[in-house]
């Protein structure tokens, strides 16, 4: 006899596990199926984000930043450290234990919220009277019957054609988070978010890192003033970044990887490295889901097709997160998961794609929300811009980290904030204020009038808002 549930969620990444918890909070009977396992076969819910994404990358970024500070910046504070050493196995082991705590945290949350968890692969078997028959295969073998199904099966790294990941020499994010030794020379293909974050980790730990990017502009998705500043700072830190390249046929031997490429001027080049990270984007993951069995429609790139409410072409089948259109971000997946659970329960929830923040956790951090100057110009929107440098911020000076600035773009007529772009210390935390203001459709003047604690980095946000009206107080 199949076990019956109001909602079965397939995938326990940030989209799936959050949807499951929210649906359970709303009084529905909920099951969540997830296939991810630890090396010894135990369940590892949390998806890409917890296991090989957001969490482990931030753990390594933190550790490597400490190492960099101890090596290069403690002296400025009068702290003498002699013989700074690196125990990579401890550093990577700490990252693994942070991941484990998060896996266990999600299992605890499932128990607390009475979500039934199945460890295995979930697939559509058929549409039967009253709902969807879902098979679980693997560690748990079960037949489930669901009134509603939420597909949250996430994404997988995109490989270069003809160059599969072996996770030893040719690394996806997975292998790049678990190297056993610091490479002398590390190549990175793709100067996107993963390339810059993980490239920074291994550079700080001592690798000579070269990043090869196909697009002519560096960080084309960011505001170009921010991108220019970032390129300057990263280059000064030692990342070698080439844009406008065309990658040739990569050759791998037991010892090294050779990457032939044509540079922006058209000259043939060759890069020899110990390891190569390929971070050229991710593809939606629907393997093993039984898409064809039930006719779940995918677009030409393999994303599950959904409408604005995350409804698929099948009745009572929803899809959220990386497996559907929109930015591949954990917080976007979570918001969609919550909204779908609430819609199933009859509420009219909404996800505002215009206020989803983006963050790159390099040093300095980069964060933005809303539209950038290039976009506003293309759209012909009349805007005012106000910037404030961290160099003029007291807290940033005290921290010893004055790189970057906050830039606010506001509507020329109404003063409504249209976009906020930050490069600088703790940009990831500072951006929340901008998101809040934009959610309430506030004006630059609103930020300027809000009392910000002194001395804080957030005062740079207030000053940038004052700059929109050309009345900064500290610059
Ligand atoms: P996923 O997290 O991919 O989870 C999908 C889950 O479904 C997986 O556990 C998978 O095993 C399971 N699954 C798939 N098919 C089946 C099946 N048939 N049956 C059962 N289970 C199945 N985003 C941020 O917002 N901030 C960051 O700092 C950040 N850092 C990142 C760093 C790296 C290195 C990477 C790779 C990504 C990062 N991301 C970050 C992106 C973020 O990880 C994803 O956007 C997020 O994980 C998407 O969540 P999801 O629930 O849609 O899918
Ligand atoms: P990305 O889309 O951020 O960057 C990929 C880069 O590779 C782009 O700049 C692209 O122009 C370049 N590229 C593509 N094909 C190429 C080729 N053949 N040769 C050279 N360059 C090429 O993708 P990335 O870094 O792989 O990350 C995947 C996803 O994970 C992103 O969508 C991101 O949203 C998410 N992520 C988010 C993080 C965060 O929020 N801090 C951290 C890491 C990943």
């Amino acid at each position: 006899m199949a076990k019956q549930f109001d909602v079965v969620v397939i995938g326990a990444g940030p989209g799936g596990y959050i949807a499951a918890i929210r649906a359970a909070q709303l009084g529905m009977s909920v099951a969540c199926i997830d296939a991810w396992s630890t090396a010894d076969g135990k369940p590892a819910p949390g998806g890409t984000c917890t296991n090989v994404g957001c969490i482990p990358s931030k753990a390594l970024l933190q550790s490597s930043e400490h190492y960099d500070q101890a090596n290069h910046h403690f002296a400025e504070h009068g702290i003498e450290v002699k013989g700074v050493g690196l125990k990579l196995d401890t550093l990577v082991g700490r990252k693994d234990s942070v991941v484990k705590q998060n896996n266990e945290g999600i299992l605890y949350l499932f128990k607390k919220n009475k979500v039934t968890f199945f460890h295995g692969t979930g697939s559509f078997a058929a549409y039967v009277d009253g709902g969807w028959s879902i098979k679980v295969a693997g560690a748990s073998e079960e037949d489930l019957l669901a009134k509603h199904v939420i597909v949250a099966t996430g994404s997988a790294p995109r490989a270069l054609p003809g160059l599969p990941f072996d996770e030893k020499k040719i690394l996806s994010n997975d292998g790049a988070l678990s190297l056993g030794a610091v490479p002398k020379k590390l190549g990175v293909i793709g100067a996107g978010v993963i390339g810059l974050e993980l490239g920074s980790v291994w550079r700080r730990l001592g690798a000579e890192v070269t990043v090869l990017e196909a697009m002519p502009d560096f960080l084309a998705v960011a505001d170009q003033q921010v991108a220019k500043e970032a390129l300057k700072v990263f280059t000064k830190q030692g990342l070698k970044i080439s844009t406008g390249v065309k990658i040739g046929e990569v050759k791998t031997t037991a010892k090294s990887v050779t990457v032939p490429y044509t540079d922006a001027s058209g000259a043939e080049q060759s890069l020899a490295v110990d390891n190569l990270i390929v971070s050229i984007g991710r593809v939606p993951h629907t393997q093993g889901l039984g898409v064809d069995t039930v006719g779940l429609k995918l677009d030409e790139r393999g994303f599950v097709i959904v409408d604005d409410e995350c409804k698929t072409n099948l009745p009572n089948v929803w899809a959220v997160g990386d497996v559907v259109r929109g930015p591949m971000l954990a917080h976007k997946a979570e918001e969609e998961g919550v909204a779908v659970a609430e819609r199933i329960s009859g509420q009219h929830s909404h996800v505002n794609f215009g206020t989803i923040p983006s963050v790159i956790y390099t040093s300095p951090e980069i964060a933005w929300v809303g539209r950038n100057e290039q976009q506003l110009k293309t759209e012909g929107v009349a805007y005012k811009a106000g910037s404030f440098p961290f160099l003029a911020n007291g807290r940033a000076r005290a921290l010893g980290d004055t790189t970057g600035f906050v830039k606010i773009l506001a509507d020329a007529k109404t003063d409504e904030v249209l976009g906020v772009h930050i490069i600088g210390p703790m940009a990831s935390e500072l951006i929340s204020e901008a998101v809040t203001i934009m959610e309430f459709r506030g004006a630059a003047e609103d930020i300027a009038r809000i009392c910000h604690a002194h001395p804080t980095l957030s005062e740079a946000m207030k000053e940038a808002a004052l700059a929109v009206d050309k009345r900064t107080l500290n610059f």
Side-chain angles (χ1 to χ4, degrees):
M1 240 306 256
K3 291 182 176 154
Q4 304 209 1
F5 293 92
D6 294 326
V7 180
V8 168
V9 183
I10 306 179
Y17 92 80
I18 289 292
I21 290 174
R22 185 70 188 119
Q25 283 177 345
L26 290 163
M28 293 177 258
S29 61
V30 183
C32 185
I33 311 166
D34 191 85
W36 210 297
S37 303
T38 59
D40 53 357
K42 299 215 173 78
T48 302
C49 169
T50 300
N51 291 296
V52 292
C54 326
I55 301 298
S57 60
K58 267 80 253 179
L60 292 189
L61 278 157
Q62 188 62 50
S63 300
S64 59
E65 180 64 16
H66 285 321
Y67 184 65
D68 196 61
Q69 289 285 329
N71 272 318
H72 303 294
H73 302 287
F74 277 9
E76 297 157 20
H77 296 263
I79 304 167
E80 266 188 46
V81 213
K82 290 200 178 90
V84 176
L86 178 68
K87 281 193 173 167
L88 188 63
D89 50 347
T90 307
L91 189 150
V92 172
R94 174 188 172 274
K95 178 264 298 177
D96 291 339
S97 71
V98 172
V99 168
K100 191 161 171 263
Q101 285 163 27
N102 281 272
N103 295 142
E104 287 167 357
I106 294 167
L107 289 171
Y108 160 78
L109 290 171
F110 280 161
K111 271 212 180 97
K112 183 182 161 207
N113 289 283
K114 302 194 174 43
V115 172
T116 308
F117 176 69
F118 295 103
H119 185 204
T121 302
S123 60
F124 286 99
Y127 186 64
V128 289
D129 237 8
W132 292 98
S133 165
I134 304 289
K135 276 210 169 309
V136 185
S140 318
E141 301 267 343
E142 297 281 352
D143 286 324
L144 313 181
L145 193 64
K147 284 189 201 147
H148 290 265
V149 179
I150 303 175
V151 175
T153 49
S155 63
R158 185 155 81 89
L160 273 175
L163 190 69
F165 297 111
D166 61 19
E167 304 300 0
K168 288 189 174 70
K169 289 280 168 201
I170 309 299
L171 311 168
S172 72
N173 53 294
D174 194 349
L177 288 160
S178 295
L179 282 172
V182 179
K184 247 186 144 151
K185 291 188 174 190
L186 175 69
V188 179
I189 300 190
V193 202
I194 295 180
L196 293 174
E197 289 187 3
L198 295 182
S200 294
V201 165
W202 294 106
R203 180 201 56 76
R204 291 171 195 166
L205 298 179
E208 190 183 314
V209 180
T210 306
V211 186
L212 302 176
E213 165 61 43
M215 297 285 281
D217 291 329
F218 176 66
L219 269 184
V221 291
D223 185 278
Q224 280 306 288
Q225 197 187 343
V226 168
K228 276 205 183 76
E229 177 74 5
L231 183 59
K232 197 173 77 193
V233 180
F234 296 154
T235 304
K236 200 169 157 215
Q237 288 171 350
L239 278 184
K240 291 182 187 160
I241 301 171
S242 296
T243 55
V245 310
K246 194 167 180 314
I247 307 292
E249 195 183 329
V250 176
K251 293 260 185 318
T252 312
T253 67
K255 284 213 165 135
S256 74
V257 182
T258 310
V259 186
Y261 65 95
T262 313
D263 70 17
S265 72
E268 300 292 328
Q269 306 281 356
S270 180
L271 174 72
V273 289
D274 302 303
N275 303 87
L276 182 70
I277 299 177
V278 178
S279 47
I280 55 169
R282 294 177 63 83
V283 291
H285 175 89
T286 51
Q287 258 176 348
L289 184 62
V291 165
D292 294 334
T293 316
V294 289
L296 181 65
K297 274 200 185 148
L298 309 182
D299 71 12
E300 64 287 350
R301 292 183 301 158
F303 288 96
V304 175
I305 298 176
V306 287
D307 65 9
D308 287 351
E309 298 199 316
C310 292
K311 281 184 186 142
T312 70
N313 65 306
L314 301 176
N316 295 342
V317 177
W318 311 72
V320 300
D322 280 11
V323 80
V324 304
R325 82 285 172 267
M328 286 185 165
L329 296 171
H331 41 284
K332 175 265 193 183
E334 291 182 15
E335 293 305 324
E336 285 184 333
V338 167
V340 163
E342 292 180 350
R343 282 171 199 144
I344 292 173
S345 83
Q347 297 180 27
H348 299 279
S349 303
H350 176 66
V351 179
N352 182 0
F353 272 59
T355 54
I356 296 174
S358 295
V359 178
I360 308 177
Y361 294 81
T362 41
S363 181
E365 291 182 344
I366 297 168
W368 70 88
V369 60
R371 284 170 286 173
N372 57 40
E373 287 208 55
Q374 307 92 273
Q375 288 166 329
L376 292 173
K377 279 181 187 145
T378 310
E379 290 169 25
V381 178
Y383 66 92
K384 303 174 281 182
S387 295
F388 189 79
F390 284 106
L391 198 63
N393 174 274
R395 185 67 188 277
R397 285 195 204 118
L399 284 174
D401 191 354
T402 52
T403 318
F405 55 85
V406 177
K407 176 161 90 175
I408 296 181
L409 305 173
D411 189 281
K413 260 204 191 128
T414 65
D415 197 39
E416 179 177 349
V417 177
L418 303 174
V420 177
H421 304 270
I422 309 174
I423 175 167
M426 303 308 277
S428 57
E429 301 293 339
L430 296 174
I431 201 68
S432 292
E433 179 179 8
V435 175
T436 309
I437 282 287
M438 287 182 65
E439 265 303 321
F440 286 94
R441 300 199 58 182
E445 182 71 13
D446 291 321
I447 305 178
R449 295 264 165 213
I450 291 169
C451 180
H452 289 67
H454 176 77
T456 58
L457 297 169
S458 72
E459 287 172 292
M461 183 78 79
K462 181 187 173 95
E463 291 278 1
L466 287 165
V468 170
D469 196 35
K470 299 191 173 46
R471 52 179 225 264
T472 49
L473 296 165
N474 284 287
F475 187 61

